[in-house]
Amino acid sequence: EIMMILTFRKEGRMTNGELLEQTIKDKGIKIAYICKELDISHKAFRNKLLGKTEFKGSEIYKLTKMLGLSLEERERIFFAS
């Protein structure tokens, strides 16, 4: 059984970091590429996955495009309830 990690965000948002990480792996995209495209360090990206810092709207937009997420997938990952 996979335990989902949900992290609480400011403004009441929650990001499912585990689902995002799995989606990235499933799409075959390298974390280094994502970090370069988002113009952030690997550590900064890891902090976002772990819920220590939140994703900016522009980062969510770029990740949605990079990963080819549907609206439903984007909502499940970045705005989990």
Side-chain angles (χ1 to χ4, degrees):
E1 177 177 291
I2 296 175
M3 187 172 163
M4 297 302 239
I5 299 171
L6 299 177
T7 56
F8 287 93
R9 300 292 192 180
K10 295 176 202 165
E11 302 160 0
R13 290 192 305 184
M14 295 168 61
T15 296
N16 187 328
E18 186 173 286
L19 181 56
L20 176 56
E21 196 166 24
Q22 187 60 52
T23 301
I24 291 167
K25 287 178 186 175
D26 291 348
K27 302 279 184 173
I29 298 175
K30 302 286 185 195
I31 297 293
Y33 172 76
I34 289 174
C35 293
K36 182 179 179 218
E37 291 299 308
L38 297 180
D39 196 27
I40 60 175
S41 69
H42 187 274
K43 182 176 181 173
F45 186 73
R46 174 66 45 202
N47 285 340
K48 290 173 187 286
L49 284 178
L50 295 174
K52 293 180 181 179
T53 58
E54 73 178 53
F55 284 97
K56 297 176 187 175
S58 61
E59 294 167 340
I60 293 171
Y61 177 81
K62 288 178 182 179
L63 282 166
T64 298
K65 295 295 182 190
M66 274 190 274
L67 299 172
L69 300 177
S70 68
L71 189 57
E72 182 180 290
E73 290 170 318
R74 186 195 71 184
E75 294 299 308
R76 273 200 322 259
I77 291 170
F78 295 106
F79 305 101
S81 54

